Amino acid sequence: MTGRTQPDAPIDLNDLDLFVSGDPHAAWSWLREYAPVYWNPTPEGGFWALTKYEDVAAAYIDASAFSSRFGTVLGGSYRSAADTASGQMLICSDPPDHRLLRQQVHKAFAPWMIEKATRRVVEFLDAALDKFVAAGGGDFATEVALELPAGFLSAMFDLGRDDAFRLLRLTRSMIGHKDPEYAGSARSGMTLVASQVEIFDMISELMERRRREPGGDLVSILCSAEINGRPMSDSQILYNCLNVAVGGNETTPYTATAAVLALADHPDQAERLIADPGLLSTAVEEVFRWTSTNAYVQRTATRDVELRGALIRAGDSVTLWNASANRDEEQFPAPDVFDVSRTPNQHLAFGVAAHRCIGMGGARQEITLLMRALAERRLRFRVAGPVERLRSNFMLGIKHLPVTVTAG
């Protein structure tokens, strides 16, 4: 299927092959034009897919009609824990619980913490880029991109480098549990459960230590936090540390890798950025729009809603496709053009309104540090082998990106 021609078969956004070897952007383009409110059947029942910018943004804002409490991933990382996480994990809560939880978690994203994380990320990133450039390239996804979240979360959780990479490995297998590279010989569900249990064990150990010797990290902050005059429960602390760990570990390295692929595929834009440092901020926002790493979020309809002639019934699963909204022709002129000077650029990569990603500032900082380093070092990339994508429709991830690199 290409462009907006009639697809040969019904579009299935639950078909992971579409995201590994197909063209989901062509599918979204067709849906935006012909079926912007689309019922996608699945063996378990089905879900609605919203693909237009206007509809996705409106659903984010209307939490009373489109609830987060029942899980934000289709049959994925959080859906299996929906009953216990509901109202306790930031992304699985609605007002007023969401506001109260956000107030506590947000304390860990204070300016001093962002400054500490920035120093750690620069340290990790510079060392990795030095080696990568000296070698003339390699697999950017595994040799450089992972340094960004490792540096950030080592600061956020006050972890050493080895423990930061251990947490990164666990969150990667949790999000990528349907991908054979991360699931290994285990069944997908077992990989998901095992990863979650090991992450909770790791955070529980941190909770014990921080209660004895508190510091300024996320775990210490939540261990001393109160909601409505009561200490946060252990489960609330665990779920929200998991929320931050997964959000920080998974989106940024995939965004970073996709950014390098975009620069390799659009060398004219890479040259513009190298020549004009003033383009850095618009280039970073274009990277987030272009990559849209977090492809969708799920909501559950709390009441019957009619949208563009379709009747969404109470209890139906509704998916908000950020990646499609960010290529909506009605919102972005020439949306399929990667333009480092694009402005305005009101993309939905971080969501909108109350559910705007709490780690947005950290993510922006990490990608800004990367793009600045690439431009200042005058690095130019060429793809040197097959690009391998994550088997997931939730995370638009590149697992392996072999490239050559030249400087100067």
Side-chain angles (χ1 to χ4, degrees), residues 73-350:
V73 181
L74 288 167
S77 301
Y78 305 109
R79 192 64 183 263
S80 62
D83 290 341
T84 54
S86 178
Q88 299 189 80
M89 182 189 283
L90 189 61
I91 62 169
C92 293
S93 61
D94 295 326
D97 294 332
H98 182 272
R99 175 178 55 81
L100 296 173
L101 287 169
R102 191 180 183 93
Q103 287 173 349
Q104 302 307 318
V105 178
H106 190 262
K107 294 175 183 177
F109 292 87
W112 68 266
M113 176 62 84
I114 299 297
E115 290 176 11
K116 177 183 176 182
T118 296
R119 292 192 297 271
R120 197 73 57 86
V121 170
V122 168
E123 173 191 340
F124 285 20
L125 177 61
D126 281 349
L129 284 175
D130 286 345
K131 290 175 60 178
F132 198 74
V133 173
D139 185 347
F140 190 89
T142 60
E143 297 173 40
V144 179
L146 297 178
E147 302 292 335
L148 297 171
F152 194 86
L153 289 175
S154 71
M156 182 69 68
F157 285 85
D158 194 17
L159 298 172
R161 180 181 173 84
D162 289 347
D163 282 339
F165 271 93
R166 177 190 170 203
L167 184 57
L168 181 57
R169 175 181 60 80
L170 292 170
T171 57
R172 179 136 297 192
S173 63
M174 176 180 158
I175 290 296
H177 67 275
K178 293 183 180 180
D179 191 297
E181 181 169 338
Y182 302 121
S185 60
R187 287 186 302 151
S188 170
M190 293 304 296
T191 299
L192 172 63
V193 171
S195 298
Q196 287 178 332
V197 167
E198 196 168 342
I199 292 170
F200 282 147
D201 286 346
M202 188 175 182
I203 297 171
S204 294
E205 291 173 6
L206 287 174
M207 288 167 61
E208 291 180 14
R209 281 190 297 212
R210 300 299 188 254
R211 281 173 170 150
R212 293 194 304 267
E213 300 177 13
D217 60 289
L218 172 67
V219 179
S220 296
I221 289 169
L222 297 187
C223 282
S224 63
E226 293 185 350
I227 295 179
N228 288 333
R230 296 182 178 181
M232 287 184 70
S233 67
D234 284 359
S235 61
Q236 285 176 319
I237 296 170
L238 285 169
Y239 279 126
N240 286 287
C241 285
L242 173 67
N243 193 164
V244 172
V246 171
N249 271 353
E250 293 310 300
T251 55
T252 305
Y254 287 135
T255 300
T257 303
V260 167
L261 178 60
L263 294 173
D265 286 344
H266 303 86
D268 60 320
Q269 298 301 304
E271 293 300 332
R272 291 181 68 195
L273 183 59
I274 289 171
D276 184 358
L279 291 175
L280 179 62
S281 61
T282 54
V284 167
E285 295 309 313
E286 180 69 343
V287 162
F288 284 119
R289 182 193 75 87
W290 184 259
T291 61
S292 296
T293 302
N294 186 181
Y296 76 87
V297 295
Q298 179 184 238
R299 297 291 186 259
T300 301
T302 61
R303 60 174 184 265
D304 290 358
V305 177
E306 186 173 342
L307 183 60
R308 297 184 186 266
L311 179 59
I312 300 172
R313 296 193 178 277
D316 283 353
S317 170
V318 183
T319 51
L320 320 184
W321 289 88
N322 306 313
S324 175
N326 285 340
R327 299 285 183 99
D328 190 338
E329 301 81 354
E330 292 185 5
Q331 178 69 20
F332 301 98
D336 294 323
V337 173
F338 180 69
D339 179 4
V340 295
S341 63
R342 182 182 295 274
T343 186
N345 193 347
Q346 299 297 318
H347 60 76
L348 299 179
F350 297 110

Side-chain angles (χ1 to χ4, degrees), residues 22-84:
D23 186 354
H25 284 288
W28 290 321
S29 178
W30 190 90
L31 289 173
R32 287 195 302 272
E33 173 114 3
Y34 298 108
V37 183
Y38 177 71
W39 177 253
N40 196 123
T42 67
E44 297 77 25
F47 58 88
W48 292 99
L50 308 187
T51 52
K52 293 287 292 179
Y53 184 101
E54 179 183 2
D55 298 337
V56 170
Y60 267 116
I61 292 169
D62 192 354
S64 64
F66 300 101
S67 172
S68 304
R69 289 180 62 88
F70 304 99
T72 59
V73 181
L74 288 167
S77 301
Y78 305 109
R79 192 64 183 263
S80 62
D83 290 341
T84 54

